[in-house]
Amino acid sequence: FSWTEFGMADEMTTLGGRTVFLCDAAGPRVTREADALDLIGGLWGLEVDWLVLPTARLGEDFLRLRTGLAGAVIQKFVTYQVRLAIVGDISAEAEASDALRAFVRESNAARRVWFVPDLAALEARLTAQPDGT
């Protein structure tokens, strides 16, 4: 498997003392569960603490919770023990949906999946986690 097959300029870097894999915003969109498995599989053999997925990579149905896509995709990351940070402004979508606001709040209260507005916010959260999670 090679990310370059998909024309992606992804990169590994360090944020808040953690190794993160930054997905290119121009890469393929996550529109089905199999897309999550492709992302997870691409990390095989890499020592990465977090996968960072820009909101630009989310399919249209992802933030519409009634479709079940967000839950199914996030469950894949949890099952395979890959921490996921979804980075970007989803304030308009959250404002329009009580369910999405609650979903984001619950995700952000845990240690496996976070929704953050930008990389600076992610770095701040990672820095504040003394145990590396």
Side-chain angles (χ1 to χ4, degrees):
F1 179 86
S2 168
W3 287 109
T4 56
E5 293 173 23
F6 296 98
M8 297 170 62
D10 300 320
E11 67 174 289
M12 284 180 53
T13 191
T14 302
L15 286 177
R18 309 304 180 287
T19 302
V20 300
F21 190 91
L22 297 172
C23 292
D24 184 357
R29 296 184 82 170
V30 176
T31 60
R32 54 197 177 99
E33 287 180 62
D35 297 331
L37 294 174
D38 288 344
L39 288 169
I40 293 165
L43 299 176
W44 184 261
L46 302 177
E47 294 194 26
V48 173
D49 298 314
W50 287 82
L51 182 128
V52 179
L53 186 66
T55 55
R57 295 280 298 273
L58 302 178
E60 289 180 17
D61 288 339
F62 192 92
L63 296 176
R64 294 184 193 130
L65 296 185
R66 70 180 177 274
T67 68
L69 180 61
V73 165
I74 287 172
Q75 185 59 49
K76 295 292 183 213
F77 282 91
V78 171
T79 298
Y80 289 97
Q81 299 181 17
V82 175
R83 291 183 183 99
L84 173 65
I86 297 173
V87 178
D89 183 11
I90 61 165
S91 57
E93 293 87 346
E95 182 63 31
S97 169
D98 291 339
L100 180 58
R101 269 195 315 279
F103 183 75
V104 168
R105 186 174 46 254
E106 289 173 23
S107 295
N108 285 346
R111 295 179 167 211
R112 290 284 200 201
V113 177
W114 293 341
F115 289 82
V116 293
D118 52 41
L119 286 177
L122 176 59
E123 186 167 29
R125 284 203 68 181
L126 291 171
T127 300
Q129 298 293 326
D131 64 352
T133 58

